[in-house]
Amino acid sequence: MPLSPEQQAEIDAQRSETQPTLRAVSAGMEAHLYTAKPVLDHGFVRVIDYMGDDAAICQAARVSYGRGTKSVSNDEGLIRYLMRHWHSTPFEMCEIKLHVKLPIFVARQWIRHRTANVNEYSARYSILDREFYIPAPEHLAAQSVTNNQGRGEALEGAEADRVLRYLRDDAMRAFDHYEEMISTEDQQGLARELARMNLPANTYTQWYWKVDLHNLLHFLRLRADSHAQYEIRVYADAICEMVADWVPFAYKAFEDYRMGGAQLSSTALDCVRRMLKGEEVSQETSGMSKGEWREFKAVLDGEG
Amino acid sequence: MPLSPEQQAEIDAQRSETQPTLRAVSAGMEAHLYTAKPVLDHGFVRVIDYMGDDAAICQAARVSYGRGTKSVSNDEGLIRYLMRHWHSTPFEMCEIKLHVKLPIFVARQWIRHRTANVNEYSARYSILDREFYIPAPEHLAAQSVTNNQGRGEALEGAEADRVLRYLRDDAMRAFDHYEEMISTEDQQGLARELARMNLPANTYTQWYWKVDLHNLLHFLRLRADSHAQYEIRVYADAICEMVADWVPFAYKAFEDYRMGGAQLSSTALDCVRRMLKGEEVSQETSGMSKGEWREFKAVLDGEG
Amino acid sequence: MPLSPEQQAEIDAQRSETQPTLRAVSAGMEAHLYTAKPVLDHGFVRVIDYMGDDAAICQAARVSYGRGTKSVSNDEGLIRYLMRHWHSTPFEMCEIKLHVKLPIFVARQWIRHRTANVNEYSARYSILDREFYIPAPEHLAAQSVTNNQGRGEALEGAEADRVLRYLRDDAMRAFDHYEEMISTEDQQGLARELARMNLPANTYTQWYWKVDLHNLLHFLRLRADSHAQYEIRVYADAICEMVADWVPFAYKAFEDYRMGGAQLSSTALDCVRRMLKGEEVSQETSGMSKGEWREFKAVLDGEG
Amino acid sequence: MPLSPEQQAEIDAQRSETQPTLRAVSAGMEAHLYTAKPVLDHGFVRVIDYMGDDAAICQAARVSYGRGTKSVSNDEGLIRYLMRHWHSTPFEMCEIKLHVKLPIFVARQWIRHRTANVNEYSARYSILDREFYIPAPEHLAAQSVTNNQGRGEALEGAEADRVLRYLRDDAMRAFDHYEEMISTEDQQGLARELARMNLPANTYTQWYWKVDLHNLLHFLRLRADSHAQYEIRVYADAICEMVADWVPFAYKAFEDYRMGGAQLSSTALDCVRRMLKGEEVSQETSGMSKGEWREFKAVLDGEG
């Protein structure tokens, strides 16, 4: 269970009292506030704060596009128009602040998205907890043989058992030694900033992460994607559920134009045009490489 | 008067109803919300939204610095510690969204601060208003003769009159021609995106500007400074008043460590040490250039 | 002619001597270095410096994707793969520094791209030149009646004459008054930082603009697009020619996947699939709004 | 030894041939190009590319400040002026690209500086090497008892031996298991993206890191500082040596105004003024907290 009784008590306290505000309020998001949504075996995501809602996106767009936006009859239509035409600045007018607990190797992928503000728990000043991510057996995937990026089938039997044993035992031993090294009982005690180097990449860390909606959607497009590593995708999926309740119009447009859409190249568009005219197009006549053609066919078959 | 009756009615409506929220609320900032603070002859600044308060800065710092921050007895002490040691990420956890109306030449200086989100009124799609900044007579400064950046005394008499007449007449004529060019009465009408090029840099524009507290304080340090151009400084001053009410501890620390403080070079520190030992130090013996020495003396004399 | 004899002499001097370097050199780009490419009536773009080439993109990709990238047979194939899968970081490993002279209203659009470094000529400290953009008659477009953004046909006859006269006369008069106001002959002289507010938005300014290749391509996608305003598009077009010579593989991939490609929504992809199965799809049965359908048809017809 | 024979051969090849260029060339930096400067037990830093030199900083400043900069007699004086007055944009006109090999826990600190471009070796696609950072005995510091951040004395005797044994043995065992888990001999083999989670934070990784000079100097100010963790400080120190040869004027100004300088608060400046007038100021009469006073005294005593 990811939350300690103290953490749960803190959340209950935070959720028990409201205050009046003149700011834009998203009822859907208020329902999520502070509540930790469990992810993986010990992780979570919870919303600490947010700014703006669907109406705030439109309000900013109307300042900047003026009359142009008045011809669009309503907020949903305007938001779809903005998303379709890559007008990103109105989406930047919303902001979210999340508290995330996650394994270090996931944090290392996540932080590559630079346009966000981060305050991470510091193992230089503080002592880490004895918590490690150990995959559930069904997520113990083999290396894919057809694809450099993906995963193959789940491991089974003795191989799976051995992997789980290694992950658990190595983490536990590393943590035992971490504690021994920093202990000040009958010894000086190694500096925390050094001792932490003994801990493996499945150790949990946590941070506050604040980002605007435009950059969040970009993150979600890459990380809620089927090609993303499972362990970060589950965080992205959890955040998607929050965003859907926070800014429902923006999220729906995002699903249609980004998540479910596809970028077709000039060559691919040309092939579509030829096919619609009845021509039989093959990889050889397409002008695409084998890899491109395979991806193109997957899009046409709805497997992209 | 900067606000039209419609705008004032809109503000009154926005301020008339509160909603409950579970988020952090800054009472000092709620009092500012939506209200347009007049700046220059037709400009204003108003807060549209904000995220976080002094406690939110501390909350983020405590996540990241852990035990280290617990030794600091209270929020104000912690915030002073963070400011003093240039720990910027906790301040990034607060965000503000402003609606600003400002002359174009001020907007051009302002936009050089890139770490912010902006939605500006578009003269490509919309028609600008007939509003220009005309300096008050006491701000009609002469070019400084001793300083490339600064202003000298205010112009007087016939010279001042002529400047004001030029500024007013040229702006009015340019706007008359702007309207004539885009008019579609008995003619095609020039595209707005072209006609706008006739308007001078004192034409008012407006935008939504969203920025985190760390970057806002950096902006204020540069623009509320006595060396900043008067026409942008008055906007910075207006924002300072809001920030002082929004995050009082952070603002006080900012005043002490940034606005009222000074960066001394290695050479300057060395001079201070020599002077404290009783040595008489002059520019010649200081190791500083004349410009540096003048600035150093100004700091020591409290004129920095 | 945009270049003064002094500027041309400076360019000739810069181009006359080479020095040896161990860095990556792009022969195609060396041919452009320092040479001012004229744009509009008084503007130009010239390359001051660059970092990296096609090979540098691949080198960075091979560090980060390791074995995965070795299966791609050659640099061009790898670059196409990176572009297709939105792997942006290898493209960030190239950098370019441009010197651009451009009208202020173009500069104001340009600066909205924030992920770049800029040093602009300061009218606070320096005196501007008497140079204004006056559109050629064929670019004196009417406001489009069907489209909020676009331009219609070129104005003709007396209407065109009057527009050109207004633009020229107002600019000249504003500049005369600018010079009179800052003059220190027999008067104090208005501060430059104030006098500049009298100048119109077609006044030329100049800046150094430095940006990485990924962000440059994003800029070019938006600004070399047929929907961009003509006056910024000509700058983007000029830069495209340089990029094509600098990183030919990357530029070709950009043309295929970005400039000539299109993002299709989930709904649009579904329509394509239905059409390929022989179904007759209309706007009514498409699930798209009228605007979306019109844009979708333009893509299928190759007019996107 | 950090470099393999293959890597050394690659460097030798890269350094053996120069090409002519029209760009700005820094002779001091050419001498560093490609050569790996060893850091820690298996790490290194090497320059892959650079853009600009001291003259390029001045060139950009002269575009933007115009006449103002002409009154400064020479490049060094201008650069000192820019540094002193926090004019950061001219320094952004230089860029550097480094190849760095470093332990993961150092990489995690480093990446917090977001204004840079990064391509990191991917343990998702590639197999990591069996290389770990093991501190030299003299850097095996105890946790400081007086300071949350710092380190105390080096551990000695049996305690030091045990720490080194733990670090070595745990890393080796973890790597043995990593290799076993991904092995495809007689088993499926765990996905690399999962197996990596077993490796400790002292495992070496590598990346290409590209940053402009302004942001690099900011990084160096924080990381070459005596309060920075030793393991990142040695990288910062190595980079400082390169920068000193690349842009000697800028580096000297940086040393004087940033590294060797200090920011004094309003309260601290007031104390200096009182002390210069002969007043005896103590912590009690200073208006500072104990921590501030201790830091202030350290600055005055030249221990800051």
Side-chain angles (χ1 to χ4, degrees):
Chain A
M1 203 195 65
L3 286 176
S4 67
E6 291 76 21
Q7 286 176 313
Q8 190 57 55
E10 184 199 332
I11 290 173
D12 293 345
Q14 287 170 321
R15 286 197 57 81
S16 67
E17 45 173 316
T18 64
Q19 293 178 79
T21 186
L22 285 162
R23 292 173 289 170
V25 170
S26 163
M29 199 58 152
E30 292 283 332
H32 284 289
L33 265 175
Y34 306 128
T35 307
K37 197 181 268 285
V39 184
L40 298 180
D41 49 356
H42 299 289
F44 62 74
V45 181
R46 64 184 187 119
V47 193
I48 296 300
D49 210 339
Y50 68 91
M51 175 191 276
D53 55 7
D54 274 331
I57 298 167
C58 296
Q59 185 189 33
R62 293 201 165 98
V63 162
S64 75
Y65 301 110
R67 280 155 212 246
T69 57
K70 283 170 197 155
S71 64
V72 181
S73 50
N74 57 30
D75 278 9
E76 180 164 18
L78 175 55
I79 284 175
R80 289 181 67 82
Y81 175 90
L82 296 170
M83 184 75 76
R84 198 158 77 242
H85 292 93
W86 306 89
H87 289 304
S88 54
T89 53
F91 296 101
E92 294 174 5
M93 290 287 137
C94 293
E95 189 92 11
I96 192 172
K97 182 159 59 176
L98 301 172
H99 180 189
V100 189
K101 189 173 160 192
L102 72 179
I104 285 173
F105 72 95
V106 175
R108 300 233 303 131
Q109 278 197 348
W110 195 308
I111 202 78
R112 292 176 54 196
H113 299 266
R114 287 156 299 174
T115 39
N117 307 118
V118 185
N119 276 275
E120 184 175 356
Y121 185 85
S122 170
R124 218 187 147 194
Y125 310 134
S126 302
I127 298 171
L128 287 160
D129 290 322
R130 186 188 283 269
E131 284 185 320
F132 307 94
Y133 167 59
I134 306 294
E138 66 270 25
H139 295 124
L140 221 54
Q143 180 73 13
S144 165
V145 287
T146 58
N147 181 336
N148 272 299
Q149 296 187 42
R151 294 183 181 189
E153 300 292 298
L155 303 184
E156 292 188 345
E159 186 180 355
D161 292 345
R162 195 182 53 160
V163 164
L164 288 175
R165 200 176 63 242
Y166 280 164
L167 293 177
R168 271 194 208 108
D169 291 357
D170 288 355
M172 284 301 169
R173 187 186 303 104
F175 199 84
D176 288 344
H177 293 166
Y178 170 72
E179 283 190 321
E180 275 186 59
M181 291 190 287
I182 61 175
S183 166
T184 52
E185 261 182 63
D186 299 325
Q187 66 175 17
Q188 290 187 274
L190 184 66
R192 287 165 194 167
E193 67 181 30
L194 287 171
R196 62 169 161 171
M197 81 171 78
N198 203 52
L199 295 177
N202 59 347
T203 307
Y204 273 91
T205 183
Q206 51 183 300
W207 63 30
Y208 273 44
W209 190 67
K210 177 170 149 288
V211 69
D212 68 59
L213 179 59
H214 167 67
N215 281 292
L216 178 63
L217 293 178
H218 183 68
F219 172 86
L220 294 176
R221 180 161 70 96
L222 296 176
R223 301 305 181 179
D225 185 86
S226 63
H227 296 90
Q229 180 164 353
Y230 169 77
E231 281 78 16
I232 196 166
R233 203 167 67 231
V234 285
Y235 285 90
D237 290 343
I239 297 171
C240 280
E241 289 179 38
M242 294 169 178
V243 177
D245 289 336
W246 174 28
V247 281
F249 292 155
Y251 188 74
K252 237 174 104 189
F254 167 70
E255 275 192 313
D256 190 19
Y257 293 113
R258 298 284 182 276
M259 290 305 282
Q263 172 82 9
L264 294 190
S265 71
S266 165
T267 310
L269 286 175
D270 195 52
C271 288
V272 167
R273 288 176 201 125
R274 288 157 61 193
M275 291 158 87
L276 285 175
K277 283 185 188 137
E279 185 181 336
E280 198 72 40
V281 181
S282 66
Q283 186 255 315
E284 288 73 18
T285 62
S286 69
M288 298 188 211
S289 72
K290 279 181 187 159
E292 281 178 80
W293 178 255
R294 192 172 52 238
E295 292 162 20
F296 173 65
K297 291 293 284 181
V299 166
L300 289 193
D301 295 347
E303 300 157 359
Chain B
M1 203 198 65
L3 288 176
S4 68
E6 291 76 22
Q7 285 175 312
Q8 189 58 54
E10 185 199 333
I11 290 173
D12 292 344
Q14 286 170 321
R15 287 196 57 81
S16 68
E17 46 174 317
T18 65
Q19 293 179 77
T21 185
L22 286 161
R23 293 173 289 170
V25 169
S26 163
M29 198 60 152
E30 292 284 332
H32 285 289
L33 266 174
Y34 306 128
T35 307
K37 197 183 270 286
V39 185
L40 298 179
D41 51 355
H42 298 289
F44 61 75
V45 181
R46 63 184 189 122
V47 193
I48 295 301
D49 209 339
Y50 69 91
M51 174 189 278
D53 54 8
D54 275 330
I57 298 167
C58 296
Q59 185 188 34
R62 292 201 164 96
V63 162
S64 75
Y65 302 110
R67 280 159 213 243
T69 56
K70 282 168 197 154
S71 64
V72 181
S73 49
N74 57 32
D75 278 10
E76 180 165 18
L78 176 55
I79 284 175
R80 290 181 67 81
Y81 175 91
L82 297 169
M83 185 73 77
R84 198 158 76 242
H85 293 93
W86 304 90
H87 288 305
S88 54
T89 54
F91 296 101
E92 294 175 4
M93 290 288 136
C94 293
E95 189 93 9
I96 192 172
K97 183 161 55 177
L98 301 171
H99 181 190
V100 190
K101 187 172 162 194
L102 71 180
I104 285 173
F105 72 96
V106 175
R108 300 234 302 131
Q109 277 197 347
W110 194 310
I111 202 79
R112 293 176 52 195
H113 298 265
R114 288 155 298 174
T115 40
N117 309 118
V118 184
N119 276 275
E120 185 175 355
Y121 184 84
S122 170
R124 216 186 149 194
Y125 309 134
S126 301
I127 298 171
L128 286 160
D129 290 323
R130 186 190 283 267
E131 284 184 318
F132 307 94
Y133 167 60
I134 306 294
E138 64 270 27
H139 296 125
L140 220 55
Q143 180 74 12
S144 164
V145 287
T146 59
N147 182 335
N148 272 298
Q149 297 188 40
R151 295 184 180 187
E153 301 291 299
L155 303 184
E156 293 187 343
E159 185 179 356
D161 292 345
R162 193 181 56 159
V163 164
L164 289 176
R165 198 178 63 241
Y166 280 165
L167 293 177
R168 272 194 207 107
D169 290 356
D170 288 355
M172 285 302 169
R173 186 187 303 104
F175 199 84
D176 287 343
H177 294 167
Y178 169 73
E179 282 189 321
E180 274 187 60
M181 291 190 287
I182 61 176
S183 165
T184 51
E185 260 181 67
D186 299 324
Q187 65 174 18
Q188 290 187 272
L190 184 65
R192 288 165 195 168
E193 66 181 30
L194 286 171
R196 61 169 161 171
M197 80 170 80
N198 203 52
L199 295 176
N202 60 345
T203 307
Y204 274 91
T205 182
Q206 50 183 299
W207 62 31
Y208 273 45
W209 190 66
K210 178 170 148 289
V211 69
D212 68 59
L213 179 58
H214 167 68
N215 281 293
L216 177 62
L217 293 178
H218 183 68
F219 171 85
L220 294 176
R221 180 160 72 93
L222 296 176
R223 301 306 181 180
D225 185 87
S226 62
H227 297 90
Q229 180 164 354
Y230 169 77
E231 281 77 16
I232 195 166
R233 201 166 69 231
V234 284
Y235 285 91
D237 289 344
I239 297 172
C240 280
E241 289 179 38
M242 294 169 177
V243 177
D245 289 335
W246 174 26
V247 282
F249 292 155
Y251 188 73
K252 235 173 108 188
F254 167 70
E255 277 193 311
D256 191 18
Y257 293 115
R258 298 285 182 277
M259 290 303 282
Q263 172 82 10
L264 294 190
S265 71
S266 167
T267 309
L269 286 176
D270 196 51
C271 288
V272 168
R273 288 177 202 124
R274 288 158 62 194
M275 291 158 89
L276 286 175
K277 283 186 188 136
E279 187 181 333
E280 198 72 40
V281 182
S282 66
Q283 187 254 315
E284 287 74 18
T285 62
S286 69
M288 300 187 210
S289 72
K290 279 182 189 157
E292 282 178 81
W293 177 257
R294 193 172 52 237
E295 293 163 19
F296 172 65
K297 291 294 283 181
V299 166
L300 289 194
D301 295 346
E303 301 158 0
Chain C
M1 203 195 63
L3 286 176
S4 67
E6 292 76 22
Q7 286 176 313
Q8 190 57 55
E10 184 199 333
I11 290 172
D12 293 344
Q14 287 169 322
R15 287 197 57 81
S16 67
E17 46 174 317
T18 64
Q19 294 180 79
T21 186
L22 287 162
R23 292 173 289 170
V25 170
S26 163
M29 199 58 154
E30 292 283 333
H32 285 288
L33 265 174
Y34 307 130
T35 307
K37 197 181 270 285
V39 185
L40 298 179
D41 50 357
H42 299 288
F44 61 75
V45 181
R46 64 184 188 122
V47 193
I48 296 300
D49 209 339
Y50 68 91
M51 175 189 278
D53 55 7
D54 274 332
I57 299 167
C58 295
Q59 186 188 34
R62 292 200 165 98
V63 162
S64 76
Y65 302 111
R67 281 157 212 246
T69 58
K70 282 169 197 155
S71 64
V72 181
S73 49
N74 57 31
D75 278 10
E76 180 165 15
L78 176 54
I79 284 174
R80 289 180 67 81
Y81 175 90
L82 296 170
M83 185 76 75
R84 198 159 76 242
H85 292 93
W86 305 89
H87 288 304
S88 55
T89 54
F91 297 101
E92 294 174 4
M93 290 286 137
C94 293
E95 189 92 11
I96 192 172
K97 182 161 56 179
L98 302 171
H99 181 188
V100 189
K101 188 173 161 192
L102 70 179
I104 286 173
F105 72 95
V106 175
R108 299 231 306 131
Q109 276 197 348
W110 194 309
I111 202 78
R112 292 177 52 196
H113 299 264
R114 287 156 300 174
T115 41
N117 308 119
V118 184
N119 276 274
E120 184 174 355
Y121 184 85
S122 169
R124 220 190 144 191
Y125 309 134
S126 303
I127 298 171
L128 286 160
D129 290 323
R130 187 189 283 267
E131 285 185 318
F132 307 94
Y133 167 60
I134 306 294
E138 65 268 27
H139 295 125
L140 220 54
Q143 180 74 11
S144 165
V145 288
T146 60
N147 182 338
N148 271 299
Q149 296 187 39
R151 295 183 181 188
E153 301 292 300
L155 303 185
E156 293 186 343
E159 185 179 357
D161 294 344
R162 192 181 55 160
V163 164
L164 289 175
R165 199 177 62 241
Y166 280 163
L167 292 177
R168 271 194 209 109
D169 291 356
D170 288 355
M172 284 303 168
R173 187 186 303 104
F175 199 84
D176 288 343
H177 292 168
Y178 169 73
E179 283 189 321
E180 275 187 58
M181 290 190 286
I182 61 175
S183 166
T184 52
E185 261 180 66
D186 299 325
Q187 63 174 16
Q188 290 188 272
L190 184 64
R192 290 165 193 167
E193 67 181 30
L194 286 171
R196 61 169 160 172
M197 81 171 79
N198 202 52
L199 295 176
N202 59 346
T203 306
Y204 273 90
T205 183
Q206 49 182 303
W207 62 32
Y208 273 45
W209 190 66
K210 179 169 149 286
V211 69
D212 68 59
L213 179 58
H214 166 67
N215 281 292
L216 177 62
L217 293 177
H218 183 68
F219 172 85
L220 295 175
R221 180 161 71 93
L222 296 176
R223 301 304 180 179
D225 185 87
S226 63
H227 296 90
Q229 180 163 354
Y230 168 79
E231 281 76 18
I232 195 166
R233 202 166 69 232
V234 285
Y235 285 90
D237 289 343
I239 297 172
C240 280
E241 288 179 38
M242 295 170 178
V243 177
D245 290 335
W246 173 29
V247 282
F249 292 155
Y251 189 74
K252 236 174 105 189
F254 167 70
E255 275 192 312
D256 191 18
Y257 294 115
R258 298 285 182 277
M259 289 304 283
Q263 172 82 9
L264 295 190
S265 70
S266 165
T267 309
L269 286 175
D270 196 52
C271 287
V272 168
R273 288 176 202 124
R274 288 158 61 193
M275 290 158 88
L276 285 173
K277 283 188 189 136
E279 185 181 334
E280 198 70 42
V281 181
S282 66
Q283 186 255 316
E284 288 73 19
T285 63
S286 69
M288 298 187 211
S289 71
K290 278 180 189 159
E292 282 178 78
W293 178 256
R294 191 172 54 233
E295 292 162 20
F296 173 66
K297 291 294 283 180
V299 166
L300 290 192
D301 295 347
E303 301 157 1
Chain D
M1 203 198 63
L3 286 176
S4 68
E6 291 76 21
Q7 287 176 311
Q8 189 58 54
E10 184 199 334
I11 290 173
D12 293 344
Q14 287 170 321
R15 288 196 57 80
S16 68
E17 46 174 315
T18 64
Q19 293 181 78
T21 186
L22 286 162
R23 292 173 288 170
V25 170
S26 163
M29 199 59 154
E30 291 283 331
H32 285 288
L33 265 175
Y34 305 129
T35 307
K37 196 182 270 287
V39 185
L40 297 180
D41 50 357
H42 299 288
F44 62 74
V45 181
R46 64 185 189 120
V47 193
I48 295 301
D49 209 339
Y50 69 91
M51 173 189 280
D53 54 8
D54 275 330
I57 298 167
C58 295
Q59 186 188 35
R62 292 201 166 97
V63 162
S64 74
Y65 301 111
R67 281 156 212 244
T69 59
K70 280 166 198 158
S71 64
V72 181
S73 50
N74 57 33
D75 278 9
E76 180 164 17
L78 177 55
I79 284 176
R80 290 180 67 81
Y81 175 90
L82 296 169
M83 185 75 76
R84 198 158 76 242
H85 293 94
W86 304 91
H87 288 306
S88 54
T89 54
F91 296 101
E92 294 174 5
M93 289 288 136
C94 293
E95 189 93 9
I96 193 172
K97 182 160 57 176
L98 301 171
H99 180 189
V100 189
K101 187 173 162 193
L102 71 178
I104 286 173
F105 72 95
V106 175
R108 299 233 303 132
Q109 276 196 350
W110 194 309
I111 202 78
R112 292 176 52 195
H113 299 264
R114 287 155 300 173
T115 40
N117 308 118
V118 184
N119 276 274
E120 184 175 356
Y121 184 85
S122 169
R124 219 188 146 191
Y125 309 134
S126 303
I127 298 171
L128 286 160
D129 291 322
R130 186 190 285 267
E131 284 184 319
F132 307 94
Y133 167 60
I134 306 293
E138 66 269 27
H139 296 125
L140 221 55
Q143 179 74 12
S144 165
V145 288
T146 59
N147 182 336
N148 272 297
Q149 297 187 39
R151 295 182 181 190
E153 301 290 299
L155 302 184
E156 292 187 343
E159 186 179 356
D161 292 346
R162 194 181 56 160
V163 164
L164 289 175
R165 199 176 64 241
Y166 280 165
L167 292 177
R168 273 193 206 108
D169 291 357
D170 288 356
M172 284 302 167
R173 187 186 301 104
F175 198 84
D176 287 343
H177 293 166
Y178 170 72
E179 283 189 322
E180 274 187 59
M181 291 190 288
I182 62 175
S183 165
T184 51
E185 261 181 67
D186 300 327
Q187 66 174 15
Q188 290 187 272
L190 184 66
R192 288 164 195 168
E193 66 180 31
L194 286 171
R196 62 170 160 169
M197 82 171 76
N198 203 52
L199 295 176
N202 59 346
T203 306
Y204 273 91
T205 183
Q206 49 183 299
W207 63 32
Y208 273 44
W209 190 66
K210 178 169 148 289
V211 69
D212 68 58
L213 179 58
H214 167 68
N215 281 293
L216 177 62
L217 292 179
H218 183 68
F219 172 85
L220 294 176
R221 179 161 71 95
L222 295 176
R223 301 305 180 179
D225 184 88
S226 62
H227 297 91
Q229 179 163 356
Y230 169 78
E231 281 76 17
I232 196 166
R233 202 165 68 231
V234 286
Y235 284 91
D237 289 343
I239 297 171
C240 279
E241 289 179 37
M242 296 170 176
V243 177
D245 289 335
W246 174 28
V247 281
F249 292 154
Y251 188 73
K252 235 173 104 189
F254 167 70
E255 275 192 312
D256 191 17
Y257 293 114
R258 298 284 181 278
M259 290 303 283
Q263 171 82 10
L264 295 190
S265 69
S266 165
T267 310
L269 286 175
D270 195 51
C271 288
V272 168
R273 287 175 204 126
R274 288 158 60 193
M275 291 158 87
L276 286 173
K277 283 187 188 137
E279 185 181 335
E280 199 70 42
V281 181
S282 65
Q283 186 255 314
E284 287 73 18
T285 63
S286 69
M288 299 187 209
S289 72
K290 280 181 188 160
E292 283 179 80
W293 178 256
R294 193 171 52 236
E295 292 163 21
F296 173 65
K297 291 294 282 180
V299 166
L300 289 193
D301 296 346
E303 300 158 0

